[in-house]
């Protein structure tokens, strides 16, 4: 890996980390500081920003198709291709459209319920509970008769114990918040399984292409949820208070959260492209620590000794699970590759993951 590539990888990894932390903190600020307690509408804003972002990418690529190599349109397209690789807009058949609709429901519910969770529980509790996603994913895999090693199954046990310790007593959550967050964790695990099928199954869509197909559907679903839960009526009733010309701050927080949502998807691609899977796993665990630390300072979350020890156990256990998972994937790939290919790659540090599912 050249020094310029290492510099680019470091920059994108930092941006990815900041995006992860930023979107979590911004969502919590929207609910707690701005009093914008409309999680389904906020999710619709996220999907709208993701759709606009994917639309911009595809239109830039389309304009460059007939542009000369010296034009700005061609330069923009070359930059997008260099960052995200070759992106082809696939034509989806009827079965594929059904799969995308089903995935959009899972995706929109995952984001909406995740945002709803932040309304009822602390950021710390939300992050700790999300550490259960690997355990739930394993449960789904076993239910689908997939082969999951005993090492990986044992690796999630400390995470489950740590979550129990972290959630014991008062850690800024209610009974409603607890059940909402559990549902959020189940949906997150289901999204991991479903997204893997969309990206590597029969459709094999590029992540940006998948985002372009799925985001408008998810946005419509979130708006329907916002309508039936009374969020749109609540926003209309506060239209003078939330008018960006009269009070720009709420509009700024909500819009910036949407921008961060799309940026996070792009940064996830770049972080995977330029860094190793192990680096990304470590960064994900560092991100969790930073989110918990920052949210504790910003929102004044009280943490008991047992809760604190539980958080530490969860973070260490998550890191251990990530390591076990990565070693198994690396071993499996190495056993399938020819000796010559391994020799050619001897000077490279490690492989590159397909897409972040954190």
């Amino acid at each position: 890996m050249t020094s310029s590539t290492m510099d680019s990888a470091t920059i994108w990894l930092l941006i990815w980390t900041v995006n992860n932390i930023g979107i979590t903190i911004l969502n919590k600020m929207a609910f707690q500081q701005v009093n914008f307690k409309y999680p389904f509408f906020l999710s619709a804003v996220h999907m709208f920003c993701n759709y606009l972002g994917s639309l911009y990418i595809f239109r830039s690529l389309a304009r460059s198709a007939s542009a000369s190599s010296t034009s700005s349109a061609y330069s923009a397209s070359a930059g997008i291709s260099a960052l995200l690789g070759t992106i082809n807009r696939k034509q989806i058949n009827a079965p594929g459209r059904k799969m995308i609709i089903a995935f959009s429901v899972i995706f929109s519910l995952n984001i909406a319920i995740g945002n709803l969770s932040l309304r009822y529980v602390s950021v710390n509790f939300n992050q700790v509970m999300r550490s259960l996603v690997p355990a739930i994913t394993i449960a789904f895999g076993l239910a689908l008769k997939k082969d999951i090693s005993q090492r990986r199954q044992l690796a999630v046990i400390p995470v489950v114990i740590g979550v129990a310790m972290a959630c014991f007593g008062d850690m800024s959550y209610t009974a409603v918040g607890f059940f909402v967050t559990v549902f959020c964790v189940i949906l997150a695990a289901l999204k991991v399984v479903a997204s893997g099928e969309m990206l590597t199954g029969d459709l094999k869509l590029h992540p940006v292409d998948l985002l372009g197909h799925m985001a408008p559907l998810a946005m419509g679903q979130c708006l329907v949820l916002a309508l039936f839960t009374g969020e749109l009526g609540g926003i209309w009733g506060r239209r003078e208070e939330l008018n960006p010309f009269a009070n720009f701050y709420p509009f700024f927080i909500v819009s910036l959260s949407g921008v961060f949502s799309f940026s996070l998807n792009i940064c996830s691609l770049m972080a995977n492209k330029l860094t190793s899977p192990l680096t990304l796993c470590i960064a994900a665990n560092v991100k969790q620590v930073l989110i918990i630390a920052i949210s504790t300072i910003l929102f004044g979350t009280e943490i008991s000794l047992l809760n604190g020890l539980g958080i530490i156990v969860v973070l260490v256990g998550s890191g251990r699970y990530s390591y076990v998972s990565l070693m198994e994937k690396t071993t499996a790939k190495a056993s399938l590759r020819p000796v010559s290919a391994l020799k050619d790659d001897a000077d490279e540090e490690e492989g590159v993951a397909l897409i972040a599912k954190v």
Side-chain angles (χ1 to χ4, degrees):
M1 184 180 289
T2 65
S3 59
S4 61
T5 303
M6 290 179 65
D7 291 340
S8 298
T10 302
I11 292 172
W12 278 106
L13 197 61
L14 287 172
I15 296 174
W16 177 82
T17 304
V18 170
N19 264 268
N20 266 286
I21 297 172
I23 192 169
T24 302
I25 300 301
L26 283 170
N27 289 348
K28 188 63 178 179
M29 287 178 66
F31 298 135
Q32 187 166 316
Q33 294 187 357
V34 179
N35 197 32
F36 192 85
K37 297 182 178 180
Y38 310 109
F40 297 120
F41 185 81
L42 179 63
S43 302
V45 172
H46 286 184
M47 290 297 97
F48 179 68
C49 291
N50 276 274
Y51 176 63
L52 288 183
S54 61
L55 198 64
Y56 168 77
I57 289 175
F58 282 115
R59 288 192 174 179
S60 297
L61 294 174
R63 285 199 304 268
S64 69
S66 57
S68 65
S69 61
T70 57
S71 70
S72 58
Y74 181 87
S75 300
S77 172
I80 291 172
S81 298
L83 289 175
L84 303 178
T86 303
I87 307 174
N88 295 317
R89 188 70 163 169
K90 286 190 175 181
Q91 297 296 323
I92 309 297
N93 56 20
R97 285 194 291 271
K98 291 179 180 178
M99 291 180 63
I100 289 178
I101 291 173
F103 179 69
S104 71
V105 173
I106 297 172
F107 195 91
S108 59
L109 281 177
N110 176 61
I111 294 177
I113 301 301
N115 288 338
L116 182 63
S117 169
L118 287 173
R119 177 178 173 181
Y120 291 107
V121 303
S122 66
V123 174
N124 293 7
F125 183 79
N126 179 276
Q127 289 298 304
V128 169
M129 289 296 289
R130 280 183 176 273
S131 299
L132 285 174
V133 169
I136 305 297
T137 305
I138 285 178
F140 280 135
L142 293 174
L144 295 172
K145 308 295 184 183
K146 290 189 176 182
D147 185 23
I148 299 175
S149 70
Q150 188 176 21
R151 286 185 63 198
R152 189 177 295 196
Q153 295 180 46
L154 292 175
V156 301
I157 293 178
V159 177
V160 175
I161 295 173
V163 168
M165 293 171 60
C167 298
F168 183 81
D170 183 18
M171 193 179 163
S172 298
Y173 68 91
T174 63
V176 173
F178 176 81
F179 287 110
V180 169
T181 307
V182 169
F183 188 34
C184 166
V185 171
I186 293 173
L187 284 171
L190 188 59
K191 191 196 78 169
V192 169
V193 176
S195 61
E197 183 64 26
M198 299 295 292
L199 296 169
T200 62
D202 294 334
L203 290 178
K204 289 185 174 63
L205 295 174
H206 188 282
V208 176
D209 192 14
L210 175 59
L211 201 62
H213 286 293
M214 181 270 305
L217 295 172
M219 180 182 67
Q221 293 157 13
C222 289
L223 286 175
V224 171
L225 289 171
L227 175 64
F228 282 101
T229 56
E231 288 187 5
L232 294 182
I235 294 172
W236 178 254
R238 297 176 59 196
R239 59 188 180 278
E240 294 184 2
E241 177 188 350
L242 296 175
N243 185 350
F245 296 102
N247 186 8
F248 184 73
Y249 187 62
F251 175 81
F252 172 74
I253 293 295
V254 172
S255 300
L256 188 61
S257 175
V259 172
F260 266 60
S261 174
F262 174 70
S263 177
L264 179 59
N265 284 299
I266 302 301
C267 291
S268 294
L269 290 172
M270 291 309 305
N272 273 289
K273 180 179 179 179
L274 296 175
T275 67
S276 69
L278 179 58
T279 301
L280 204 58
C281 288
I282 294 172
N285 284 280
V286 171
K287 176 261 300 183
Q288 275 190 306
V289 175
L290 291 175
I291 288 178
I292 290 173
I294 293 172
S295 64
T296 299
I297 296 171
L298 286 180
F299 305 114
T301 305
E302 294 183 4
I303 301 177
S304 68
L305 177 61
L306 183 60
N307 296 154
L309 290 175
I311 292 173
I312 293 173
V313 172
V314 168
L315 294 173
V316 174
S318 297
R320 170 64 181 169
Y321 174 82
S322 299
Y323 177 78
V324 169
S325 178
L326 176 62
M327 290 301 100
E328 288 187 357
K329 291 178 181 177
T330 302
T331 303
K333 288 180 180 178
S335 64
L336 293 174
R337 298 180 65 192
V339 176
S340 59
L342 292 173
K343 184 177 179 181
D344 291 339
D345 289 346
D347 295 331
E348 295 186 6
E349 290 188 354
E350 292 178 37
V352 178
L354 291 174
I355 182 171
K357 296 184 179 67
V358 181

